């Protein structure tokens, strides 16, 4: 690619991942369509985007680990219940018409934003709940289903994890986003990138700009989320979910 093309990719990636790291997901809304618009076929664009999205998780991880706010046992629980769903979703999507899947995901995503908006106190304070056996079983089932969405439909599924951690486990928004970016960004997306890399082509010459933009966007977006109050993070989450939902429904 020419230097100007690399610069355009870097700016797109930086803005998409900055917003994603601040609100808890949604980088694919901007980055994936941009790759398609710039000339990549869908499958190649998806594989290239998935590889780049891992850098978002790495950048956010570097910033969030400085806060020492992640519980190792809960992190392992999210991985153990979500990763199998990613694999299952990747195998199921081939049998579902793409347009039907996009509309369904759009309605669910917009519903997340409306649900959060209708509950002003949601995620504003930490109130850890459902930490008994029944709570973890239901919570794990929810993460498995979200993992299946992540494996099959790429746009905005990190937002589902963020709201599920807020609603079911009682996290505040900033804490939930930390888990989403570290675990979904690095491990869930890493599994998706590896799977797609084995079955589809990756445009390696496009990745330097995408990786740098994702890394920096992830770090500085996480920094903003940590520094801003939960009210602003909640509003960003609601805005992003509504925009993504409408975009997916309208096509």
């Amino acid at each position: 690619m020419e230097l100007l093309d690399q610069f355009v990719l870097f700016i797109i990636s930086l803005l998409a991942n900055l917003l994603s790291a601040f609100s808890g997901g949604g980088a694919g809304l901007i980055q994936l369509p941009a790759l398609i618009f710039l000339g990549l076929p869908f499958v190649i664009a998806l594989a290239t985007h998935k590889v780049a999205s891992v850098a978002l998780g790495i950048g956010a991880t570097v910033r969030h680990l400085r806060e020492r706010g992640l519980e190792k046992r809960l992190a392992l629980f999210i991985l153990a219940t979500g990763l199998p769903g990613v694999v299952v979703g990747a195998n199921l999507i081939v049998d579902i018409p793409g347009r039907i899947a996009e509309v369904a995901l759009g309605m669910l995503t917009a519903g997340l934003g409306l649900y959060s908006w209708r509950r002003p106190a949601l995620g504003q304070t930490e109130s850890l709940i459902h930490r008994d056996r029944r709570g973890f079983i239901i919570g794990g089932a929810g993460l498995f289903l979200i993992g299946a969405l992540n494996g099959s439909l790429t746009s905005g599924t990190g937002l589902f994890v963020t709201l599920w951690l807020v609603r079911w486990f009682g996290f505040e928004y900033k804490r939930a986003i930390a888990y989403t970016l570290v675990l979904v960004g690095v491990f869930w997306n890493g599994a998706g990138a590896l799977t797609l890399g084995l079955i589809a082509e990756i445009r390696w010459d496009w990745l330097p700009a995408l990786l740098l933009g994702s890394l920096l966007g992830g770090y500085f977006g996480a920094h903003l989320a940590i520094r801003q109050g939960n009210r602003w993070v909640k509003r960003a989450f609601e805005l992003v979910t509504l925009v993504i939902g409408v975009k997916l429904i309208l096509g």
Side-chain angles (χ1 to χ4, degrees):
M1 299 187 71
E2 295 182 0
L3 185 60
L4 179 59
D5 295 326
Q6 290 281 359
F7 179 72
V8 171
L9 280 179
F10 169 74
I11 295 299
I12 292 171
S13 179
L14 179 67
L15 293 176
N17 289 283
L18 181 71
L19 177 63
S20 178
F22 181 65
S23 62
L29 173 70
I30 301 173
Q31 188 164 277
L32 180 60
L35 295 180
I36 296 172
F37 178 77
L38 291 172
L40 291 186
F42 175 79
V43 175
I44 297 176
L46 178 58
T48 305
H49 162 69
K50 276 292 188 183
V51 173
S53 67
V54 177
L56 160 65
I58 293 173
T61 297
V62 171
R63 183 62 184 88
H64 279 294
L65 288 182
R66 289 173 53 189
E67 302 298 311
R68 301 182 183 275
L70 300 183
E71 298 177 36
K72 182 182 293 185
R73 292 180 62 186
L74 184 57
L76 291 174
F77 171 76
I78 294 172
L79 289 178
T81 52
L83 282 175
V86 174
V87 175
V88 170
N91 285 280
L92 288 178
I93 191 60
V94 295
D95 298 321
I96 301 175
R99 186 61 192 137
I100 293 177
E102 285 185 3
V103 172
L105 181 62
M107 295 175 66
L108 287 171
T109 304
L112 294 183
L114 292 173
Y115 179 85
S116 178
W117 176 67
R118 295 276 295 176
R119 287 162 173 75
L122 185 69
Q124 298 303 289
T125 57
E126 190 88 0
S127 179
L128 301 186
I129 54 177
H130 297 139
R131 295 304 185 95
D132 55 5
R133 179 179 296 180
R134 177 179 177 273
F136 275 112
I137 289 174
I138 296 175
L143 289 167
F144 177 86
L145 292 175
I146 297 170
L149 284 175
N150 180 271
S152 57
L153 301 165
T154 183
S155 295
T157 49
L159 297 165
F160 284 67
V161 178
T162 297
L163 188 61
W164 184 242
L165 293 178
V166 169
R167 175 61 183 87
W168 186 252
F169 289 114
F171 285 4
E172 62 176 6
Y173 266 100
K174 291 193 295 184
R175 183 169 165 83
I177 286 173
Y179 280 93
T180 297
L181 293 175
V182 174
L183 302 177
V184 175
V186 177
F187 295 99
W188 289 24
N189 287 341
L194 178 61
T195 302
L196 286 167
L198 293 174
I199 63 177
E201 177 186 349
I202 294 172
R203 286 300 298 270
W204 297 104
D205 57 327
W206 290 43
L207 279 174
L210 291 172
L211 289 172
L212 181 60
S214 297
L215 189 67
L216 294 177
Y219 181 89
F220 288 111
H223 178 77
L224 285 174
I226 290 169
R227 293 305 177 199
Q228 296 298 319
N230 278 305
R231 179 173 176 271
W232 285 104
V233 176
K234 183 176 187 290
R235 289 291 176 258
F237 173 89
E238 292 161 359
L239 177 62
V240 170
T241 50
L242 288 171
V243 170
I244 289 177
V246 171
K247 170 65 171 58
L248 288 170
I249 292 170
L250 297 180

